[in-house]
Amino acid sequence: MTPLLASESAAPPAASALLRRLRTLPLYRAALDGVPDDVPWPTVPFLTRERLTEAFLAGDLVHPDAVRVHLTPHPGGHWLPEYATVADLQAHAEAAAHALARAGVRPDDHVQVAFGYHRFAGGWLMQGGLEALGAKTIPFGPGETDAALDTLRVLGVRVLVSAPSFAQKLGEAGARVELLIASGEPLSSVAGRRERVEAALGSPERPCTALDCYASSEAGMMALETPARDGLRVLDGWVHLEVIDPETGEPVPDGERGELVVTHVGKQAMPLLRFRTGDLTTLERRADGTYLPRGVFGNVGGMLKVKGVKLFPREVAFWLAGHGLDHAQHTLHVWSHAGTDRLGLQVRGAAADLDTLRTDFQKRFAVRLDDLDVDLMHEGRGVLDRRA
């Protein structure tokens, strides 16, 4: 692994010039009013989904030079537009192409993309980078297992781009590829999942390597693993990432978990400035770039503070999945006894080594379980916080 660097300023390169440019856009005019160009970066206001909604309703998102508009799902069953200029599409494609090349995609590869191309960004997030690299890209879309298998076989597809669950389904149906670029669902952050997917898609004669990719419709591709599998390397020329304490908004030291915040370095249409993604991760600055060493492993929504420790329910769900337990059917129970917090966890599953689970939980989350139960009949109730 490349040596870590000492934590430096959280500011992106040419931050002052970036702020000067963004303050001219309707989206940021009010937020940056009175904010000096040389302000310390951690004091620059955050962008939230709520603010994006306000700007959309006010007509402040559209860009005169935009040539493409993707839609992105929005809380409450709605959607928001995502605008991009020709220069935006080219810059994203070039950054993604470099990342894909580091991941092992070659210009002579046939690459099949199993994400959607209608309404939401989906496969378009991958398409530009693959084409810029020179790969023979098949915009196949999701589903249609039999047809997907036929295309993989007939064209000799070496690289599959897919959600890991669908990739595993294809592998179990007979698909064989050498490289999977996985996105849309957790891969490296769920213990054992990568190995299961690789086993399904590979064979002794032709093993498969599955790599994790982090992307979103708002920001595009942001980070992608390399075959070294020592973390997701950030597309530093496209985005600047930082991690903050979701409670205080203050930056956290490298290696400490928190909420991921993204800034576009040079995007023209609808650029993000310190956009709070809600995703839970850790970040490391190394000599060769910025990395997400554990990928994205949860969401900050519903954060609890138990025994003085921040506990994120979505991260607990990922941990349960890694132990083969039903993460969709679990209950986190918090209560008080004699003025002290108590924490219990009940989950649906077969008989398990409870001592091992307790030990691993405490190691992962730095808090001890006071009660743990694994039951085949458990009906999950989410989070029950019954502290007085």
Side-chain angles (χ1 to χ4, degrees), residues 343-362:
L343 178 65
L345 175 61
Q346 294 81 42
V347 60
R348 182 182 296 180
D353 185 337
L354 297 186
D355 288 339
T356 298
L357 287 176
R358 286 177 189 273
T359 300
D360 193 58
F361 187 95
Q362 185 166 354

Side-chain angles (χ1 to χ4, degrees), residues 59-130:
D60 290 343
L61 294 184
V62 66
H63 191 283
D65 298 327
V67 297
R68 184 181 296 175
V69 185
H70 291 302
L71 306 183
T72 180
H74 194 63
H78 304 294
W79 52 265
L80 287 177
E82 300 287 344
Y83 292 94
T85 67
V86 170
D88 293 337
L89 297 174
Q90 291 175 341
H92 179 259
E94 290 173 7
H98 287 300
L100 290 162
R102 287 193 297 264
V105 182
R106 306 188 296 243
D108 61 345
D109 281 332
H110 279 79
V111 181
Q112 187 158 321
V113 181
F115 288 113
Y117 283 81
H118 65 285
R119 192 179 182 194
F120 301 127
W124 292 106
L125 299 179
M126 306 291 179
Q127 189 78 19
L130 290 166

Side-chain angles (χ1 to χ4, degrees), residues 267-308:
K267 192 169 186 286
Q268 297 177 343
M270 206 172 157
L272 300 179
L273 173 63
R274 302 200 79 205
F275 176 65
R276 297 186 65 157
T277 65
D279 291 328
L280 189 64
T281 191
T282 60
L283 180 145
E284 289 179 357
R285 282 177 275 265
R286 304 176 187 167
D288 61 339
T290 308
Y291 285 78
L292 307 180
R294 294 169 52 197
V296 172
F297 46 82
N299 188 277
V300 301
M303 185 192 78
L304 301 167
K305 186 167 279 187
V306 183
K307 304 179 183 181

